[in-house]
Each structure stands twice: as C-alpha cells, then as structure tokens.
C-alpha cells in the first residue's frame, strides 16, 4: 500500500506491506534509525514518536495508519547540529548511559513539555511512565527534564 | 573540536617534582552524548546490507524432549524465504563448542542449534531466513518439528540425583564440583560459643535485561573465507574462541565490529550459538543475514543470572557476636548449558569473606544443569550470590543471638586500620572504611526513625521491611583464576589492544579493544590520554566501539574500567616520544589548518 508521511519536515512516499509497523517503516524503509525497538509488547517506549502532535509508541501503530501524518522523531530535535535545551539537559545531567532508551525518553519529554511547560516532579514521572531505562535509572532523567523547564 | 572544554583544577603529578593540571577524576561532559541524544548512535540493528535476509529461530515449546523429525519443506515453499538451517546440518558443519569445565562438564556437547534433543523452553531447533522479519516469522511457524517429551529436572538439588540426565554424553547433571577450604574450620568450631545452623537458603534466578535485545548482521566473504559480524556480543574475544574452532576456522576468520550497544549486563556474553548459526546461514545462502532477537525470545531463552542453593550453612560464633567463619554446600544451577558458567564456580572466591574478618571458610561447590534456559555472567556475577549469602548469615546470626544486625556487622567488618587486608584466600582488599560507610548509609535513610515508620505502616495494615546489605566487589578480574577450574584452560580474558596515534591536524586518535555498552569509555579514556600527553580531552578522539581488526579481542564491562585506562596508557609512551605538543603547535601554524568539527 502507498504511504505518504512527513517526518521532521521531510516528505516520504513508500509502498509498504499493510502489516508493517510504523517503527519498522521508520527504521527499515526510511533509514531513520534514531527511534529504537526494545520490546514486542508496547512496554518499553524506546520507539516513542510524535504523530500529528500526539505521543505514540510507533510499534503500536501500523505504517499504513500513519498515511498523511506529520511525524516527529528524535532526529528532528536538534537544529543545524545544535542540541535543543532538552537534549543538552540530558547530557548535562548524565541522563543517559548506553543511550538506547534516550530517543524515546526525549520524545516523551518533548510531548510532556509542550502540553505542560512547567511540570512538577510527579508530572514528569507520569510523563515518562511509558518509557523504560535499564542503565541510568530515572533520577537523572527526571532531573534533566526538570532542568529543561528552567 | 566542539566538546568538553573544561579547565582542570586538580594538579596531576607527572614526573617527580613536576605537576600540571589533570583531567582524571574531573566531571567532564561525555563525548558520547552529543550523537546519542540526536539518535545518531550506531547500534547493530541500524546497519543494513543490500539484499540481506532476516533470521528467525524456531524454538522448542518443551523443556526436555527428543527431536524425532524436523521438516522445513513448507517453510521453503513460501515466496521470499531464502533458506533454513537445522540441527542435523549444524552437527555436520560444526564441532561442539569447547567446554570450560573439566569432566563431567567437559563432555557436554553444545551446538549452535539443538541436536537430537531440546533441553529448555526456547532452545533453538531450526532457523529460517526470509526477505522480511515478518515473513521469517511466518515461515518459522511452518517448520514442523516432531518432539517426544522427556521427564524434566528443574531444580538444582533434584538435578544432583541424576535421575533425569540432560546431557547423555556427560552422564551426569554435575558440571563441576570442588571444595574450597581456607583457615581452620574445625578449629573455629572448637573455639565457638555458639554454632548457628541454616538449613537452606536460595538465591533466585534473575535477568538484568538490557533494553536492546541481542542480535547481529553477518556477512561472509567467499574470497577470503572471513565473516564480519556487526553485533552486540559484549565479549567478542571469548565469543571468537568459542566460534572459530566450532566453525573449523582460525580466529582471524571472524571479525567482530560494534559501535554502540544498548546495555549488556552480561546477558550478551554468550551469544556464540546464535552468531554461529548466523555465520553458517550467511555462508550457506551467500547473502548477509540479520538476526534481531524478539523481546519475548529474550525473556524465554536468552541468558539469565545463576540460581544458587545454599545448604547446611554452619557458622561458629563467639558470645559477643564475633563470627569465626562458615561452611556451606553451594549448588549452582546454570540451566541447560554451562557455556561461560563454570567460571562462576570460582569467581565468587574473589570476595570470599565479603566485608568480614572471619578467617575460616569452607565452601563445597557444585554446579549442575537443569531444564531451564542457560545462564550467563549477569551483573555482579557469582560474587553477588555469594555476598548475598554472607549478608543472610549475618542477619540470621544477629537474630539467633538477639543482637543488633548493625552492631554484628560493625564488629565483624574488616577494620579501617587493617587495610591493605589479605583475605583468607590471599586476595588483597586495598582500602576501605566499612563501618563508616554503613553509618553514612544509615544516616542517609534515617535509620533511627525507621522503627517509627514501621509502626506507622503497621497501623495502616501495611508491612514495612528493613534490610541491610553491605557488599564489596572486585574492580577487575584476573582470569588466570580460571585455571583453578581447569588447569588446562588457555584463557586469560586480558587480550585487548589499544592504539594511540597522532592524526593529520595534531589530534590524538585512540582505538580501544573494549566493547562499551554505556560506560562512557570514550570520555574516560580521553581523560587518561590527555593527562599523559599533556593535551585536553578535546584533543583526543576515541574511536567508539570495538573492531577485532584493530583491537584483537575484548572483555567484560564491570571490570573494564581500570585495565582500559592502563592499556591506553601503555600504548602512549611511543607516541609521547614523538612529542604531541610540538606536532600540535606545528599544525596550528600550518596554513589551511582548521579545527575538526567533532571529536567522535
Ligand atoms: S518497542 Fe517497546 S514500546 Fe515500542
Ligand atoms: S541509557 Fe541504557 S537504557 Fe537508558
């Protein structure tokens, strides 16, 4: 089936199998490998992207369902190689180790901060509750998101 | 370069009488972060090759069964399926992986796919390669396997009875056994005012579960007979010495490449069976093949952490709570195949007394196989199970003698003034102040008010538990220890190579043999190298990841920090001889010199 999407401002058109997951479409067909896959049950959040303004786990959506959508992924956060405030805060607060969960964390935090620019710690924790990190733990990640609001 | 400009505050002693600012020990921004927060990491699953096929393993639904027949015909009929591999083919094309243990474990036959029998749920029986991941999965469902279920053994103690034996070639479920006896346990018993006995303790199976599943992309070069494996094996050096003889080739025929790895924790140390199957498929089908483990498969059949049962723990104690030693019978359950695990039979001995001064320790250790997925050296590996035992002993002794568990710990800890301390088995603990550490920890958690919080919880119908664990761990490993296990084992584990060179603009380029999985090796290495060469970490580009072409082989992460720095620092003197500073100043004045934009 024909799928046309805009990802980080760029338009892509591809013929895809109807059963292909959006995450596989992004990674395998568009070579946007920043979004990761950590599970096959929708639990880990490593694949989180923003579709038409809504935070989604891209392993829980078919590529064909995204036809016509505007998608934002981690690759679109920095501008001309300059990290945005949230990305910089992740580095400053040691909020990543292996970096595998980081793209998903950043997208969840991005969606959170758009909806709620000054979240409390509780709200931050709720905002990333769909994202698992196995290396860093959550304290530094929460600190980084908090710092990005300041 | 754009990263890391920090001013060193702490002076570094370079030569006697000479000091200069140092970067080691300073908190500098990580070199890795800039690309990782932009989604520019390169994990194995990000790498693609033209016309590559996707691998899916057909796995056993039984924990123990004889394989009567495997029929791949229907799978092969499916359009887009490139080929298959079965256990029968593997038995012809490869030799069993070598075993670390002496007999009986030495006689175990372990292959890339199950041969003749399955021994745990998820044991791979066949592999299918197809044009897409989904198609490979569909095709795997069409592989017909006829099983004859066999009785199971799921428990370490039960395994010792050998009523059901997993590996007929070994003739026993026992992999390895040995007695460790230090000090004078009988003497300690005679000296004791009390003897505390604990019938049974059990440390459960667990998994550290990295967020990235295991996998690889394998290419075969027909002209040279070499395989290139882009994968997340976290100890490719050991992987290669398992795989090469099994594939009947020299180690040089296997090139392991990795850049970023999404966590390892030991779960990715024994990937050689799956990687070997992928090598066979890449050669057989003459196309690159890619295997990404599904999370469900990871939970079911990838490696977990060892389970250990402690029986008949006997602890001679003085009336004042001084513990004189302990004896125990430990049964370690390594699951269906021991693979790396016989090393766990001895690695715990690096921390034989834990944090305590007891001098008389006797451990009767046996490792057995059971019908569960194999284990691997998961985080804290082998020491953790043992240290958990020592902490349980302390709490049970305190409870039986009516003493305060904090006081019993403090009384028995190695004392600050006793460092460096030689343990009963000759290990040296270099420094520490355990009693003070405990005080600080208790203070931080508000230990004095915990009883109150416990009562408060009780009044609300809740339970509030308080537990103390004090452990230490060996910062690096000496794999020479493996010869305690098997005197014939040619296995040092210390076989990485670091190179340091000067590049065209005067930047220093370092390659490491380590296989980082989030530890920040590029950053810490740049600090070490900067201090030795008298430049800044900005001037040091550390090539991320591992490549056996440059760095030989590799080792494990929890232990890599100090040897890594040492290896890089050993590589430096020759370069220093050529004077980094003069090279740098000459490039600075060279017309056309410009700063490179990144220090990857
Ligand atoms: S890959 Fe885990 S939630 Fe999508
Ligand atoms: S940094 Fe490794 S999973 Fe979060």
């Amino acid at each position: 089936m024909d799928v046309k999407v805009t990802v980080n401002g760029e338009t892509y058109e591809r013929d895809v199998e109807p059963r292909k997951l959006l995450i596989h479409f992004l990674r395998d067909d568009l070579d946007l490998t920043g979004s990761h896959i950590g599970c096959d049950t929708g639990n880990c959040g490593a694949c989180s992207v923003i579709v038409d303004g809504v935070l989604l786990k891209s392993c829980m959506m078919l590529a064909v369902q995204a036809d016509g959508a505007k998608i934002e992924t981690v690759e679109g956060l920095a501008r001309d190689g300059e990290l945005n405030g949230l990305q910089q805060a992740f580095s400053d607060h040691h909020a990543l180790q292996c970096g595998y969960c980081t793209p998903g964390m950043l997208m969840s935090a991005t969606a959170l901060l758009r909806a709620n620019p000054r979240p409390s710690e509780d709200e931050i924790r709720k905002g990333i509750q769909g994202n698992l990190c196995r290396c860093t733990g959550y304290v530094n990640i929460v600190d980084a998101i908090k710092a990005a609001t300041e | 370069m754009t990263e890391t400009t920090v001013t060193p505050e702490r002076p570094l002693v370079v030569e006697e009488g000479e000091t200069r600012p140092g970067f080691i020990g300073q908190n500098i921004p990580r070199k890795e972060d800039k690309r990782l927060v932009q989604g520019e990491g390169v994990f194995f699953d990000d790498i693609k090759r033209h016309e590559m096929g996707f691998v899916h393993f057909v796995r056993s639904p039984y924990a123990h069964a004889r394989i009567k027949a495997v029929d791949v015909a229907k799978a092969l009929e499916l359009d887009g399926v490139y080929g298959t591999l079965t256990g029968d083919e593997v038995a012809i094309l490869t030799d069993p992986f070598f075993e670390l243990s002496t007999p009986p474990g030495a006689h175990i036959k372990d292959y890339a796919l199950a041969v003749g029998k399955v021994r745990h749920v998820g044991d791979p029986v066949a592999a299918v390669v197809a044009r897409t991941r989904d198609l490979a999965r569909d095709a795997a469902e069409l592989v017909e396997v006829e099983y004859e279920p066999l009785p199971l053994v799921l428990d370490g103690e039960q395994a010792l009875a050998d009523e059901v034996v997993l590996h007929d070639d070994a003739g026993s479920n026992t992999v390895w056994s040995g007695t460790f006896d230090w000090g004078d346990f009988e003497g300690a018993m005679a000296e004791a005012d009390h003897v505390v006995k604990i019938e049974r303790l059990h440390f459960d199976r667990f998994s550290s579960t990295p967020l990235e599943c295991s996998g690889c992309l394998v290419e075969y070069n027909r002209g040279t007979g070499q395989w290139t494996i882009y994968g997340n094996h976290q100890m490719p050096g050991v992987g290669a010495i398992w795989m090469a003889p099994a594939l009947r080739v020299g180690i040089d025929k296997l090139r392991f490449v990795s850049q970023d790895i999404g966590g390892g924790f030991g779960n990715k140390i024994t990937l050689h069976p799956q990687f070997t199957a992928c090598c066979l498929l890449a050669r057989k089908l003459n196309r690159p093949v890619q295997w990404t483990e599904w999370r469900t498969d990871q939970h079911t059949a990838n490696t977990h952490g060892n389970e250990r049962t402690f029986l008949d723990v006997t602890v001679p104690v003085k009336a004042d709570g001084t513990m004189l030693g302990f004896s125990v019978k430990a049964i370690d359950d390594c699951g269906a195949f021991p693979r790396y695990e016989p090393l766990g039979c001895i690695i715990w001995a690096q921390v034989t007394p834990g944090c305590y001064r007891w001098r008389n320790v006797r451990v009767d250790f046996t490792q057995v196989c059971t019908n569960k997925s194999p284990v691997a050296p998961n985080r804290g590996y082998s020491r953790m199970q043992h240290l958990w035992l020592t902490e349980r002993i302390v709490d049970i002794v305190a409870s039986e003698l009516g003493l305060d568990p904090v006081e019993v710990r403090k009384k028995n800890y190695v004392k600050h003034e006793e460092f460096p301390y030689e343990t009963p088995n000759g290990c040296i603990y270099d420094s520490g102040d355990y009693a003070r550490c405990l005080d600080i920890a208790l203070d931080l958690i508000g230990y004095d008010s915990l009883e109150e919080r416990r009562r408060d919880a009780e009044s609300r119908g809740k339970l509030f538990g308080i537990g103390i664990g004090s452990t230490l761990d060996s910062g690096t490993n000496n794999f020479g220890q493996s010869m305690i296990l098997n005197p014939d084992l040619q296995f040092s584990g210390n076989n990485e190579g670091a190179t340091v060179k000067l590049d065209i603009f005067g930047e220093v380029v370092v390659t490491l043999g380590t296989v980082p999985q989030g530890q920040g090796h590029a950053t810490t290495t740049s600090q070490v190298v900067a201090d030795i060469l008298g430049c800044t970490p900005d001037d040091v580009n550390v090539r991320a990841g591992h490549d056996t072409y440059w760095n030989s082989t590799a080792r494990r992460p929890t232990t890599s920090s100090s040897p890594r720095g040492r290896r890089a620092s050993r590589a430096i003197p020759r370069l220093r001889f050529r004077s980094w500073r003069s090279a740098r100043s000459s490039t600075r004045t060279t017309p056309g010199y410009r700063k490179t934009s990144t220090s990857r």
Side-chain angles (χ1 to χ4, degrees), chain A residues 87-107:
Chain A
Q87 289 170 308
Q88 189 58 51
F90 264 60
S91 179
D92 293 346
H93 290 266
H94 196 51
L96 62 150
Q97 288 183 26
C98 77
Y100 198 76
C101 68
T102 312
M105 286 283 179
L106 287 166
M107 296 319 287

Side-chain angles (χ1 to χ4, degrees), chain B residues 6-25:
Chain B
V6 284
T7 316
E9 289 149 11
R10 229 165 38 91
L12 172 85
V13 178
V14 183
E15 306 282 350
E16 220 181 318
E18 190 198 344
T19 63
R20 75 160 104 88
F23 290 97
I24 295 174

Side-chain angles (χ1 to χ4, degrees), chain A residues 95-102 105 132-138 141, chain B residues 30 209-212 261-263 265 517-518:
Chain A
L96 62 150
Q97 288 183 26
C98 77
Y100 198 76
C101 68
T102 312
M105 286 283 179
L132 296 177
C133 173
R134 294 294 302 152
C135 313
T136 310
Y138 301 96
I141 294 172
Chain B
R30 292 207 323 162
T209 317
L211 194 60
E212 179 202 39
I261 295 182
F265 316 135
Q517 310 114 45

Side-chain angles (χ1 to χ4, degrees), chain A residues 26-97:
Chain A
L26 291 170
R27 292 178 48 81
D28 295 347
D29 293 39
L30 307 187
D31 206 23
L32 292 166
T33 52
S35 309
H36 296 147
I37 301 171
C39 70
D40 37 47
T41 45
N43 291 89
C44 78
C47 62
S48 302
V49 300
I50 297 174
V51 179
D52 288 334
V54 179
L55 179 70
L56 280 175
K57 291 179 172 173
S58 57
C59 69
M60 293 281 105
M61 187 182 199
L62 297 169
V64 291
Q65 292 176 294
D67 187 32
K70 227 176 104 227
I71 301 172
E72 296 164 74
T73 70
V74 68
E75 286 96 339
L77 294 180
R79 285 275 162 266
D80 302 324
E82 283 302 310
L83 303 187
N84 74 13
L86 187 64
Q87 289 170 308
Q88 189 58 51
F90 264 60
S91 179
D92 293 346
H93 290 266
H94 196 51
L96 62 150
Q97 288 183 26

